[in-house]
Amino acid sequence: MNYRNFDETAAWGRLSALAGDYGKFDYHGILDAGRVERSLTPMAGGLTFSWAAKIVDGTLLKVLGSLAEEQECIAKYRALLEGEIINTGEKRKVLHHLLRSPDGKALTGKPVLLDGKDLGNFYREELTRFSAFVRAVHGAGLKGSTGRAFSHGAQIGIGGSDLGPRALYLALENWARAEGKQKLTAKFISNVDPDDAAGVLDSIPLEETIFILVSKSGTTQETLANELFVRDKLRKAALDPGRHLVAVTSETSPLAHNPAYLDSFYIDDFIGGRYSSSSAVGGLVLSLAFGPEVFAEFLAGAREADRSALEPDILNNAALLDALIGVWERNFLGFPCTAILPYSQALSRFPAHLQQLDMESNGKRVNRDGVPLAYATGPVVFGEPGTNGQHSFYQLLHQGTDIVPLQFIGFTESQRGEDVEVEASSSQTKLLANLAAQIVAFAQGQRPGQRPEARPEARPEAGPGQGPGGNLNKEFPGGRPSGLIYGKRLDPGALGALLAHFENKVMFQGFIWNLNSFDQEGVQLGKVLTKKVLAARASGSANGKADGFDDGSAGDAVLGAYARLLGI
Amino acid sequence: MNYRNFDETAAWGRLSALAGDYGKFDYHGILDAGRVERSLTPMAGGLTFSWAAKIVDGTLLKVLGSLAEEQECIAKYRALLEGEIINTGEKRKVLHHLLRSPDGKALTGKPVLLDGKDLGNFYREELTRFSAFVRAVHGAGLKGSTGRAFSHGAQIGIGGSDLGPRALYLALENWARAEGKQKLTAKFISNVDPDDAAGVLDSIPLEETIFILVSKSGTTQETLANELFVRDKLRKAALDPGRHLVAVTSETSPLAHNPAYLDSFYIDDFIGGRYSSSSAVGGLVLSLAFGPEVFAEFLAGAREADRSALEPDILNNAALLDALIGVWERNFLGFPCTAILPYSQALSRFPAHLQQLDMESNGKRVNRDGVPLAYATGPVVFGEPGTNGQHSFYQLLHQGTDIVPLQFIGFTESQRGEDVEVEASSSQTKLLANLAAQIVAFAQGQRPGQRPEARPEARPEAGPGQGPGGNLNKEFPGGRPSGLIYGKRLDPGALGALLAHFENKVMFQGFIWNLNSFDQEGVQLGKVLTKKVLAARASGSANGKADGFDDGSAGDAVLGAYARLLGI
């Protein structure tokens, strides 16, 4: 396989040359009904990717297609699927796609083996084991320590053990209520701030709650502290913690094969935290909440998306096309952020999950070999559901001095089906009318009698001509690109396809940028310095001093100074 | 008063000249314990602003001080307080500070009059009226239509009628539980997505719920649709909507003086939505939840912060100093984003409120006279609570190719006081140890045997020297600036001070950028196009067509095409 930096490709030069022409992209005369109807790429789970309002045309798409070929995106994806060591920093395989395989084989049809162990079968066995466990809970064969059936599940985890599972649970809660599939109510405890656990435990019936402890390493500081917080609470409520806690971890972790838990389910080092929602990390809580069949539909939707990401034609590969356009926006149009704007309240925390998925995967400054890169990589990702965001930060998106590319998501039908007609339209119709309106407003803007251009400074009539209250504050420059992912209704299959789309988009961008999307060395230094602070406090009190920083290095003295400000 | 664009000031030139020297700011030899102990600015509510880890020094602070004088920040603030028309676009006063005045007078001691009406007294009267209403609810003198006392309050509002009140409610919920001051549980309905209202209504006892309808104009599409959704639900539950709904609006709105509500409380055009948390918009729901006395403490904290913002010495005016440093980072260091990182789960939605406050106020491309600006204005603002964020997007913050300035917030004590000791430290201590560690990690980075520099590309040894797995992926460039706001405990007074600090920071930045922070014309175009879509559907069905776009303009045809994709 040929791994080269993005700026060493022929496409880099061509895109650099083209960039100027698109800097002031004028959608007028380009964005018409025909373009909207033509610029569609099918996705899995009944979804479609609409890219009509992106700053692209035939010329550019050809170059982007050649970039995908130069960086061998599909070949690298196939190698990843088949178990090549793509996570070079940690020398690990990257196998979250294999979690979604119904036959335990890679999408290419090959088994993935490690020292003779079939990893696909291992993942399938764990899925079977935790599904059986879930059925025992639902069948009330497994009850709490006072003999009451479990009505609540509370996940204790942080980062990938929290954001993905939480976002997916919220995404299906209303759907499950409407479909009569809600079996348990799920809650999540993540922050080491003790007020997080205290607040959640206050809101649930302890004797009817099963706690899911999730830590791949079994050493996550926040999660272990919260586990003890929960065990303490359970004991004070005269409940037996051992009959209320189940663990999801790796077989090499201290939590593994531990009688302190009802049961333990396993993942391995080839399932990154932010990619673990398809494993027991997300699967156990989602199956407890909605049933194993619903989780199976979710996996099937993701699997279908994984297959579509193998398509070499970028116009038929939504994840690859989305990735290529994102790189174009980031490196050549110079947009440092991306906003995720789901017009679906069910996806209220989906942007927070994508924020981790994208920023932790591609927020890197060195390539896969550890060599510093001379070009920008992953953007800042943020977002809130529409229409809420319209009444919040959209002002800057429409009229700010920077352009922020937008990713809209919308569904024809609501999840609950409950609605009201006000002024001849339902709330769902209003929601979608707002979505359509925003796409056009961002793209075309509004300048009475004039054609909008992308950048304020490009406007000749700009100048001190306008008097006070001059109407240019009512002018919209337009030229703000957006993509739209839409479908009929947000159900488990569509959600799985949506999640996998973004996982695969981020993967392809990592291939293009030639970096390792699957490690996160950037979280290490903070952990080391945190231990220093805690150790210094301990040694300090041991020596009868306020703290143990006095004898430390300059860096330690600064740590000590901040620790004192904070009163620790 | 002298209103000039930022780039017309003498400070602009001096800052431009200095920028290069600070572009590769090296904290080593600068950031020591002494700097941490010295670089503190007192704030209201027992809070302190620590700016030791910002990219500033004595030289720079002098120039920033002269900038504050050139742009007459304090004089403009005084003028705003006294009722000058600061909102030039809408020709309105800006009076949210007056909501926090115990005597109804501006902080400068003057009354604020409009056509002989004392506006401070008006705000005081409304505060008195809704406080009395709240006491009637708490005293159970006012009950639901089945005679049951109210146990829940549900706010129906969007944007400023939702984000601020919701963030503030969540910020005090655990505090109130610990203090025995929780009186009602509050919920919030905002999105026009019907699943939002359906989901919330599913989670509360309707006959014990009082609904607070909040819309200044009384015409907010989402809020009116949700009101009908709620009224419909109440009727189906055989409850009398008129005895479960109260309104917060302006006296000129269709909702005003309307017998369809238990009562109505008023604000006016001088209270912007995102600045309305100190009015009945936030005050009614917070008072219902925690009592009018708690809301009074909140207002007192905010008032104290407003007073401290009058201090001319920037080293004693945290809001002004924070604003100046933010402008330095945005316009001269070239950082397009800011992350809000509260190490307090109670502030989980506070970043979402600040996102609106900042991006809707200063996300503008024209100055206060409507003339386009040639410099960058408001940044993209995003954030999540720590330590959660550490396991999510911090990877990019530490090792991404762009630098993102950080605003940390932390408190010595938790709100609940419930905690566990694990490995000789409590969860609260771990939380704060992480916070101290992150500040130092971002500032100093880590390069074994070498001094860090701010920018990757500034690193001479960068190049294809390192082989596969080269350890530069474990290297931290540092030079990533942060500010820290800290206090003893997050209580109502501290929360009021925190909110007002950011309101005043945003105001000062608007003065420096010479823009109008108090309008939001950027939300208008979307509203207009949404109405077009809904009207076209109506006319279409009236004419027996699929939709009414066929006879529209090119722009309308594009709207129609998107509406069809979305199935409306």
Side-chain angles (χ1 to χ4, degrees), chain B residues 155-174:
Chain B
Q155 178 127 324
I156 307 169
I158 194 164
S161 303
D162 169 58
L163 291 165
R166 190 193 294 251
L168 298 175
Y169 172 77
L170 294 174
L172 292 179
E173 193 175 26
N174 267 322

mmCIF file of all heavy atoms in Angstrom, chain B residues 155-174:
data_model
loop_
_atom_site.group_PDB
_atom_site.id
_atom_site.type_symbol
_atom_site.label_atom_id
_atom_site.label_comp_id
_atom_site.label_asym_id
_atom_site.label_seq_id
_atom_site.Cartn_x
_atom_site.Cartn_y
_atom_site.Cartn_z
ATOM 1 N N GLN B 155 -41.246 24.920 31.008
ATOM 2 C CA GLN B 155 -41.115 26.139 30.219
ATOM 3 C C GLN B 155 -41.230 25.810 28.740
ATOM 4 O O GLN B 155 -40.579 24.889 28.237
ATOM 5 C CB GLN B 155 -39.759 26.795 30.505
ATOM 6 C CG GLN B 155 -39.487 28.053 29.707
ATOM 7 C CD GLN B 155 -39.096 29.225 30.583
ATOM 8 O OE1 GLN B 155 -39.597 29.377 31.692
ATOM 9 N NE2 GLN B 155 -38.190 30.051 30.099
ATOM 10 N N ILE B 156 -42.083 26.562 28.041
ATOM 11 C CA ILE B 156 -42.226 26.442 26.589
ATOM 12 C C ILE B 156 -41.614 27.694 25.973
ATOM 13 O O ILE B 156 -42.176 28.785 26.084
ATOM 14 C CB ILE B 156 -43.701 26.319 26.171
ATOM 15 C CG1 ILE B 156 -44.394 25.196 26.941
ATOM 16 C CG2 ILE B 156 -43.813 26.096 24.662
ATOM 17 C CD1 ILE B 156 -45.915 25.187 26.763
ATOM 18 N N GLY B 157 -40.448 27.547 25.370
ATOM 19 C CA GLY B 157 -39.767 28.699 24.771
ATOM 20 C C GLY B 157 -38.586 28.191 23.972
ATOM 21 O O GLY B 157 -38.197 27.028 24.094
ATOM 22 N N ILE B 158 -37.992 29.051 23.174
ATOM 23 C CA ILE B 158 -36.857 28.633 22.344
ATOM 24 C C ILE B 158 -35.814 29.748 22.301
ATOM 25 O O ILE B 158 -36.139 30.914 22.566
ATOM 26 C CB ILE B 158 -37.351 28.230 20.919
ATOM 27 C CG1 ILE B 158 -36.262 27.473 20.136
ATOM 28 C CG2 ILE B 158 -37.849 29.448 20.136
ATOM 29 C CD1 ILE B 158 -36.793 26.728 18.912
ATOM 30 N N GLY B 159 -34.571 29.385 22.011
ATOM 31 C CA GLY B 159 -33.498 30.384 21.976
ATOM 32 C C GLY B 159 -33.265 30.963 23.360
ATOM 33 O O GLY B 159 -33.088 30.227 24.325
ATOM 34 N N GLY B 160 -33.296 32.267 23.460
ATOM 35 C CA GLY B 160 -33.058 32.923 24.740
ATOM 36 C C GLY B 160 -34.107 32.598 25.788
ATOM 37 O O GLY B 160 -33.852 32.723 26.989
ATOM 38 N N SER B 161 -35.263 32.148 25.366
ATOM 39 C CA SER B 161 -36.311 31.751 26.309
ATOM 40 C C SER B 161 -36.137 30.312 26.778
ATOM 41 O O SER B 161 -36.954 29.798 27.549
ATOM 42 C CB SER B 161 -37.690 31.912 25.652
ATOM 43 O OG SER B 161 -37.870 33.243 25.218
ATOM 44 N N ASP B 162 -35.076 29.669 26.294
ATOM 45 C CA ASP B 162 -34.830 28.268 26.631
ATOM 46 C C ASP B 162 -33.401 28.037 27.141
ATOM 47 O O ASP B 162 -33.205 27.535 28.243
ATOM 48 C CB ASP B 162 -35.071 27.397 25.391
ATOM 49 C CG ASP B 162 -34.594 25.968 25.572
ATOM 50 O OD1 ASP B 162 -35.064 25.297 26.513
ATOM 51 O OD2 ASP B 162 -33.730 25.517 24.791
ATOM 52 N N LEU B 163 -32.402 28.427 26.347
ATOM 53 C CA LEU B 163 -31.016 28.057 26.647
ATOM 54 C C LEU B 163 -30.530 28.606 27.979
ATOM 55 O O LEU B 163 -29.961 27.863 28.785
ATOM 56 C CB LEU B 163 -30.100 28.523 25.517
ATOM 57 C CG LEU B 163 -30.278 27.783 24.190
ATOM 58 C CD1 LEU B 163 -29.617 28.550 23.052
ATOM 59 C CD2 LEU B 163 -29.702 26.380 24.290
ATOM 60 N N GLY B 164 -30.755 29.909 28.223
ATOM 61 C CA GLY B 164 -30.310 30.506 29.480
ATOM 62 C C GLY B 164 -31.045 29.921 30.667
ATOM 63 O O GLY B 164 -30.426 29.367 31.584
ATOM 64 N N PRO B 165 -32.388 30.006 30.678
ATOM 65 C CA PRO B 165 -33.133 29.441 31.806
ATOM 66 C C PRO B 165 -32.820 27.964 32.051
ATOM 67 O O PRO B 165 -32.651 27.542 33.196
ATOM 68 C CB PRO B 165 -34.591 29.637 31.369
ATOM 69 C CG PRO B 165 -34.552 30.852 30.493
ATOM 70 C CD PRO B 165 -33.247 30.759 29.745
ATOM 71 N N ARG B 166 -32.683 27.178 30.997
ATOM 72 C CA ARG B 166 -32.383 25.745 31.147
ATOM 73 C C ARG B 166 -30.993 25.560 31.774
ATOM 74 O O ARG B 166 -30.819 24.787 32.714
ATOM 75 C CB ARG B 166 -32.432 25.060 29.781
ATOM 76 C CG ARG B 166 -32.382 23.555 29.820
ATOM 77 C CD ARG B 166 -32.127 22.956 28.435
ATOM 78 N NE ARG B 166 -33.197 23.181 27.484
ATOM 79 C CZ ARG B 166 -34.028 22.220 27.042
ATOM 80 N NH1 ARG B 166 -33.917 20.984 27.505
ATOM 81 N NH2 ARG B 166 -34.944 22.504 26.142
ATOM 82 N N ALA B 167 -30.009 26.278 31.249
ATOM 83 C CA ALA B 167 -28.644 26.159 31.773
ATOM 84 C C ALA B 167 -28.593 26.571 33.242
ATOM 85 O O ALA B 167 -27.918 25.926 34.052
ATOM 86 C CB ALA B 167 -27.688 27.018 30.949
ATOM 87 N N LEU B 168 -29.312 27.617 33.592
ATOM 88 C CA LEU B 168 -29.287 28.116 34.972
ATOM 89 C C LEU B 168 -30.021 27.155 35.898
ATOM 90 O O LEU B 168 -29.596 26.903 37.031
ATOM 91 C CB LEU B 168 -29.915 29.509 35.043
ATOM 92 C CG LEU B 168 -29.194 30.591 34.230
ATOM 93 C CD1 LEU B 168 -29.976 31.903 34.265
ATOM 94 C CD2 LEU B 168 -27.768 30.797 34.716
ATOM 95 N N TYR B 169 -31.136 26.599 35.419
ATOM 96 C CA TYR B 169 -31.862 25.622 36.237
ATOM 97 C C TYR B 169 -30.971 24.417 36.537
ATOM 98 O O TYR B 169 -30.811 24.011 37.688
ATOM 99 C CB TYR B 169 -33.151 25.171 35.538
ATOM 100 C CG TYR B 169 -33.808 24.025 36.275
ATOM 101 C CD1 TYR B 169 -34.531 24.265 37.449
ATOM 102 C CD2 TYR B 169 -33.643 22.711 35.846
ATOM 103 C CE1 TYR B 169 -35.091 23.217 38.160
ATOM 104 C CE2 TYR B 169 -34.205 21.658 36.556
ATOM 105 C CZ TYR B 169 -34.923 21.924 37.702
ATOM 106 O OH TYR B 169 -35.470 20.875 38.419
ATOM 107 N N LEU B 170 -30.353 23.865 35.498
ATOM 108 C CA LEU B 170 -29.479 22.702 35.697
ATOM 109 C C LEU B 170 -28.298 23.053 36.604
ATOM 110 O O LEU B 170 -27.838 22.213 37.378
ATOM 111 C CB LEU B 170 -28.968 22.191 34.350
ATOM 112 C CG LEU B 170 -30.030 21.600 33.418
ATOM 113 C CD1 LEU B 170 -29.416 21.262 32.057
ATOM 114 C CD2 LEU B 170 -30.674 20.355 34.040
ATOM 115 N N ALA B 171 -27.848 24.292 36.530
ATOM 116 C CA ALA B 171 -26.688 24.714 37.327
ATOM 117 C C ALA B 171 -27.000 24.725 38.820
ATOM 118 O O ALA B 171 -26.096 24.610 39.643
ATOM 119 C CB ALA B 171 -26.229 26.096 36.876
ATOM 120 N N LEU B 172 -28.282 24.873 39.159
ATOM 121 C CA LEU B 172 -28.636 24.989 40.584
ATOM 122 C C LEU B 172 -29.441 23.806 41.115
ATOM 123 O O LEU B 172 -29.727 23.730 42.309
ATOM 124 C CB LEU B 172 -29.424 26.289 40.815
ATOM 125 C CG LEU B 172 -28.635 27.585 40.638
ATOM 126 C CD1 LEU B 172 -29.527 28.800 40.861
ATOM 127 C CD2 LEU B 172 -27.423 27.627 41.570
ATOM 128 N N GLU B 173 -29.802 22.860 40.243
ATOM 129 C CA GLU B 173 -30.680 21.762 40.681
ATOM 130 C C GLU B 173 -30.043 20.947 41.813
ATOM 131 O O GLU B 173 -30.663 20.715 42.850
ATOM 132 C CB GLU B 173 -31.003 20.868 39.485
ATOM 133 C CG GLU B 173 -32.149 19.903 39.754
ATOM 134 C CD GLU B 173 -32.538 19.108 38.515
ATOM 135 O OE1 GLU B 173 -31.675 18.907 37.627
ATOM 136 O OE2 GLU B 173 -33.706 18.685 38.440
ATOM 137 N N ASN B 174 -28.787 20.547 41.641
ATOM 138 C CA ASN B 174 -28.129 19.760 42.693
ATOM 139 C C ASN B 174 -27.878 20.605 43.941
ATOM 140 O O ASN B 174 -27.999 20.118 45.062
ATOM 141 C CB ASN B 174 -26.807 19.170 42.181
ATOM 142 C CG ASN B 174 -26.987 17.769 41.623
ATOM 143 O OD1 ASN B 174 -27.764 16.977 42.152
ATOM 144 N ND2 ASN B 174 -26.284 17.467 40.543
#
